[in-house]
């Protein structure tokens, strides 16, 4: 029966009389109404110390039957001297609800010594006489020395695992049990055997997981009340109390703290099923909460552990608890530290890598390195990168899509299918999910996965392992197999939960990623700014240089023409030829400077944006070019009138003029043809198409670079090679783009836009 779904409570209290599998988690095991037979219980009313209730075995212990001692003073049972000694001890020792050893006493049999424990509860004084053989006083120093050595060795261990391995070994040596194991509780109440010292012939339980039902809630409550519970013989016959109810309260006696308390029949039955005859259980507490148990087992025969050894065991349990808490905290701290260093390494990698995803996935440590997960994935746009064991990419995409509807940046669950039903079939590798959303608006995310617990653990009660069934009692009680089936239900589709520090790690990683992205953007903005400034400087320089160079150039041109006119007769034919070259070169230089000036001016002046009827600009340009068109016999076709667009009239007129001039110049066909038009996109795409010489694809970019020509200077009417550069700059300053499509020998089409944006809706 899983603890998460207890049977509906009924009004009947569940006690040793009516407990079964369906109600054991409600059993009132503190009221068994009986004790174990290796001792006797005497309940007294103070201050007169009148005996109000006893265990039914007083005859064996004190030589008197219950009827003879009930409602009598204690002296009747113990004799005057013993009763007085006890009273004196009680006066000296503070006795509250935890049993304290008050003295070693004698009962009916003077040869036997009893250990006497006292505690107070509900206004009653409970004396427990335990008839277990003591450790010989001579060997007590050895016990002390062993204890001392154990504690020192435990302190020196470096890992939690080594610590517990040593603890169980030493406790086994100290107590002589067949098996000593450390059992750690998980959040769901189930527990795992994390350390074991066992006699060589016995099967090991190490690594086995026991369901929560194996140690039901009431038992756990009692374990957390006392440091040590000893059951010398699980096959004992309980000794009832006389009278059954406490006569003062008319209610069952609360034996929560009793040393001799009779255990739940479910427990003794369970131990017998496991083939355990005697047990001793010590409690491990962490910050006041039950963390686990040290469980000692004897398989074949009963085992009575002397009080002194139990005391040593109890002390060890205290020590183990506090040392363990410190060691566990240290391991926890080490894990956090490891996460932190990994985060730092990942951050550094992300900053260096061309893209942050590469920084997270392509090196060690990677996304999966420190975090205790079996798989990890990065989903960024269409890209999916996985590490370790994860669901398939299409499942990851659906999961990311679902996650994008959630608010929180980090989502952690150890039972994903409960939140996201499609994960049901992914539970083997993705019962646990730690998800980190990278943006509010997209499904971009980082994911870590944990497998289902069932896939991970070895469970007790495995049907493949032999289980000794004790059916001699006639009643089949808790069986590991049955409880395993129940536990399996409780952990179906569940993984180990995500710790707080792991979720924090995810959040820190998110911050690191965002910082890297922002840094990149800032760097880009900085570069852009620097580029802008250097462009501006270049323009200013080009402008000044070209402007200032023009003056001396004009001087050279003038003096060359003076020379040609005035010294005509005196020059030899060679001198004439040289002068002619000077004039041509200066003219050429003037053209180049003019282009440069033009180019830099386009970069510097502000655009005068206004609605411009492009059709008018085209008509003007064609009017200008009419002589060339006619001379070359080229026809111009306009599919439909060009629209009105917002642009700089003068600059865009230049653009049209340049493209049309080129379309005329670079045409060798007899029937030259130019098509001008536009596509109805947003923004519209204009085009100028010719059936000229065409351009090879490898030059599509070069033709836009300044002073780059594809032919000899004089071919096709010559040109400075700056026209397209200026055109691209004008288009760029409008926020638009210009590009070319061309087939050599067939013609070229130049496309351009005059507004920002990628043209959409082209038909
Ligand atoms: P140019 O002053 O040389 O025409 P541009 O910058 O206008 O300078 O053009 C650069 C080069 O691109 C030209 O030299 C030419 O080789 C090539 N080009 C430009 N337009 C065309 C076209 N319509 N057909 C073929 N080649 C062209």
């Amino acid at each position: 029966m899983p603890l998460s779904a207890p049977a509906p409570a009924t009004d009947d209290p569940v006690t040793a009389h009516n407990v079964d599998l369906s109600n054991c988690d409600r059993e009132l095991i503190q009221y068994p109404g009986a004790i174990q037979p290796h001792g006797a219980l005497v309940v007294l009313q103070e201050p007169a110390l009148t005996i109000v209730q006893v265990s039914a075995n007083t005859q064996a212990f004190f030589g008197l039957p219950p009827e003879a001692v009930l409602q009598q003073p204690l002296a009747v049972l113990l004799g005057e001297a013993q009763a007085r000694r006890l009273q004196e001890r009680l006066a000296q020792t503070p006795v509250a609800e935890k049993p304290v050893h008050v003295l070693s006493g004698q009962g009916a049999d003077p040869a036997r010594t009893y250990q006497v424990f006292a505690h107070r509860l509900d206004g009653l004084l409970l004396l427990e006489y335990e008839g277990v053989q003591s450790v010989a006083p001579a060997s007590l120093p050895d016990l002390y020395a062993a204890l001392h050595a154990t504690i020192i060795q435990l302190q020196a261990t470096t890992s939690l695992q080594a610590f517990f391995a040593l603890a169980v070994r030493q406790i086994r040596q100290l107590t002589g049990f067949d098996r000593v194991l450390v059992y750690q509780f998980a959040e769901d109440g189930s527990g795992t055997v994390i350390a074991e010292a066992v006699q060589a012939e016995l099967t090991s339980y190490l690594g086995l997981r026991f369901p929560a039902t194996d140690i039901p809630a009431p038992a756990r409550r009692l374990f957390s009340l006392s440091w040590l519970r000893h059951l010398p013989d699980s096959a004992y016959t309980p000794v009832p109390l006389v009278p059954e109810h406490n006569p003062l309260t008319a209610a069952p006696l609360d034996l929560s703290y009793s040393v001799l308390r009779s255990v739940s029949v479910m427990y003794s039955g369970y131990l017998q099923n496991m083939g355990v005859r005697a047990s001793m259980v010590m409690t491990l507490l962490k910050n006041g909460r039950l963390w686990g148990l040290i469980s000692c087992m004897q398989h074949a025969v009963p085992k009575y552990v002397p009080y002194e050894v139990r005391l040593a065991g109890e002390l060890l349990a205290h020590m183990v608890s506090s040392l363990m808490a410190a060691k566990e905290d240290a391991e926890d701290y080490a894990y956090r530290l490891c996460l932190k260093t990994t985060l730092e390494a990942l951050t550094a990698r992300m900053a260096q890598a061309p893209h942050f995803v590469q920084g997270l996935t392509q090196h060690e440590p990677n996304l999966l390195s420190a975090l205790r997960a079996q798989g990890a994935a990065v989903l960024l746009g269409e890209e999916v990168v996985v590490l370790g064991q994860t669901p398939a990419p299409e499942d990851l995409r659906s999961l990311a899509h679902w996650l994008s509807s959630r608010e929180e940046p980090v989502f952690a669950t150890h039972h994903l299918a409960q939140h996201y039903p499609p994960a049901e079939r992914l539970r083997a590798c993705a019962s646990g999910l730690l998800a980190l959303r990278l943006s509010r608006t997209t499904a971009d995310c980082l994911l870590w996965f944990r497998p289902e617990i069932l896939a991970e653990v070895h469970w007790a009660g495995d049907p493949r392992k032999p289980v000794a069934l004790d059916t001699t009692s006639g009643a089949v009680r808790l069986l590991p197999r049955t409880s395993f089936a129940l536990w399996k239900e409780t952990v179906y589709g569940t993984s180990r939960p995500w710790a707080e520090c792991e979720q924090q790690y995810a959040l820190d990683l998110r911050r690191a990623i965002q910082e890297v992205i922002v840094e990149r953007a800032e760097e880009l903005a900085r570069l852009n700014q620097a580029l802008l400034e250097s462009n501006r400087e270049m323009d200013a320089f080009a402008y000044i240089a070209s402007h200032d160079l023009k003056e001396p150039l004009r001087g050279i041109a003038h003096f060359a023409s003076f020379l040609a006119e005035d010294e005509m007769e005196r020059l030899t034919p060679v001198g004439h030829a040289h002068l002619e070259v000077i004039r041509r070169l200066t003219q050429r230089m003037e053209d180049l400077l003019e282009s440069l000036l033009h180019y830099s001016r386009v970069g510097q002046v502000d655009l005068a944006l206004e609605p411009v009827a492009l059709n008018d600009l085209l008509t003007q340009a064609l009017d200008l070019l009419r002589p060339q068109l006619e001379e070359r016999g080229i026809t111009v076709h306009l599919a439909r009138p060009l629209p009105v667009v917002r642009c700089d009239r003068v600059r865009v007129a230049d653009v049209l003029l340049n493209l049309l001039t080129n379309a005329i110049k670079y045409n060798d066909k007899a029937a030259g043809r130019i098509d001008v038009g536009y596509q109805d996109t947003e923004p519209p795409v204009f085009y100028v198409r010719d059936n000229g010489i065409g351009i090879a694809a490898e030059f599509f970019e070069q033709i836009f670079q300044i002073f780059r020509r594809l032919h000899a200077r004089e071919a096709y009417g010559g040109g400075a090679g700056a026209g397209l550069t200026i055109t691209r700059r004008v288009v760029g300053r409008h926020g638009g783009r210009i590009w070319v499509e061309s087939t050599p020998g067939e013609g070229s089409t130049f496309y351009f836009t005059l507004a920002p944006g990628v043209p959409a809706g082209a038909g």
Side-chain angles (χ1 to χ4, degrees), residues 709-741:
R709 288 185 321 254
L710 301 183
H711 330 93
R713 197 188 311 140
E714 303 305 334
Y716 301 103
L724 282 179
T725 317
I726 293 169
T727 296
R728 175 172 268 190
R729 200 164 214 203
V730 171
V731 166
R733 291 216 53 197
H734 281 84
R737 279 190 330 121
I738 178 163
W739 68 99
V740 66
E741 281 175 9

Side-chain angles (χ1 to χ4, degrees), residues 355-638:
H355 194 275
F356 78 89
V357 176
Q358 291 165 338
L360 288 177
T361 54
Q362 288 185 354
H363 311 270
E364 280 291 337
N366 59 33
L367 205 53
L368 198 52
S369 298
L371 203 77
R372 292 171 187 152
Q374 219 116 329
V378 187
L379 283 95
L380 205 68
E382 289 302 300
E383 198 185 355
V384 179
V385 184
V386 297
L387 296 168
Q389 291 169 25
T390 64
E394 48 291 4
D395 291 325
L396 291 175
R397 280 201 192 94
S398 318
L399 177 61
H401 178 71
W402 172 77
L403 281 167
S404 67
S405 63
R406 299 188 67 94
E407 273 296 303
E408 64 277 43
V410 167
F411 172 65
T413 173
H414 58 285
H415 33 63
L416 179 58
Q418 278 182 25
H419 301 271
Y420 174 65
E424 166 68 33
R425 67 189 169 77
L426 312 175
R427 54 174 216 286
C429 76
S431 279
L433 169 72
L434 175 60
L436 177 67
R437 291 188 54 201
L438 295 178
S439 120
R440 265 177 218 281
T441 46
T442 66
D444 294 349
C445 56
L446 303 189
L447 308 173
W448 289 271
F449 297 99
R450 273 185 184 160
E452 190 180 30
I453 287 176
L454 279 178
E456 261 194 320
V457 300
H458 308 285
W459 29 275
D462 184 336
R464 288 162 298 189
K465 289 196 172 84
V467 174
L469 275 190
D470 181 5
T471 47
T472 48
S473 64
V476 177
R477 290 169 176 159
L478 269 184
L479 304 175
R481 272 184 203 176
T482 339
S483 43
F484 173 70
L486 296 168
W487 175 70
K488 212 168 134 181
E489 266 167 44
T490 65
V491 297
Y492 181 85
T494 325
S495 74
R496 278 189 302 117
W498 302 94
E500 177 64 38
C501 66
E502 294 170 327
Q503 298 182 36
Q504 188 56 48
Y505 169 73
L507 268 177
D508 292 345
L509 190 60
R510 181 180 204 249
R511 199 169 313 125
I513 292 172
Q514 281 169 347
E515 271 166 21
V516 168
I517 292 174
V518 168
E519 258 167 36
R520 287 269 158 85
E522 279 172 357
E523 177 69 24
L524 218 61
R526 245 193 328 271
L527 283 177
N528 265 341
Q529 188 58 30
L531 212 61
L532 219 63
E533 266 157 32
S534 89
N535 262 350
R536 225 173 273 142
E537 274 166 22
M538 282 292 290
D539 280 341
F541 171 77
Y543 183 81
I544 291 165
S546 43
H547 186 265
D548 291 4
L549 283 176
K550 276 179 103 172
E551 209 182 284
L553 196 65
R554 228 169 279 135
I556 295 171
H558 278 151
F559 282 101
S561 43
F562 290 159
L563 216 59
E565 284 165 18
D566 303 345
E567 306 291 329
M568 188 75 130
E569 290 89 42
R570 263 181 284 164
L571 283 177
T572 61
V574 177
H576 272 293
H578 284 175
L579 252 185
E580 191 45 38
V581 173
I582 290 175
R583 268 171 22 117
R584 232 186 30 249
L585 287 179
T586 47
Q587 181 56 48
R588 169 116 201 102
M589 187 130 172
E590 172 132 24
D591 287 351
L592 288 175
L593 287 178
E594 190 53 48
S595 302
L596 200 60
L597 207 58
H598 192 168
Y599 175 76
S600 61
R601 215 178 286 131
V602 171
Q604 284 184 317
V605 294
D606 288 334
L607 293 185
L609 294 179
E610 55 178 335
V612 174
L614 287 189
N615 221 44
D616 294 350
L617 288 194
L618 179 69
T619 314
Q620 286 162 18
L622 290 175
D623 282 347
L624 264 177
L625 295 169
R626 183 113 10 244
Q628 285 102 305
L629 286 167
E630 281 172 2
E631 185 192 329
R632 307 285 302 273
I634 294 174
T635 52
V636 178
H637 303 261
L638 184 63

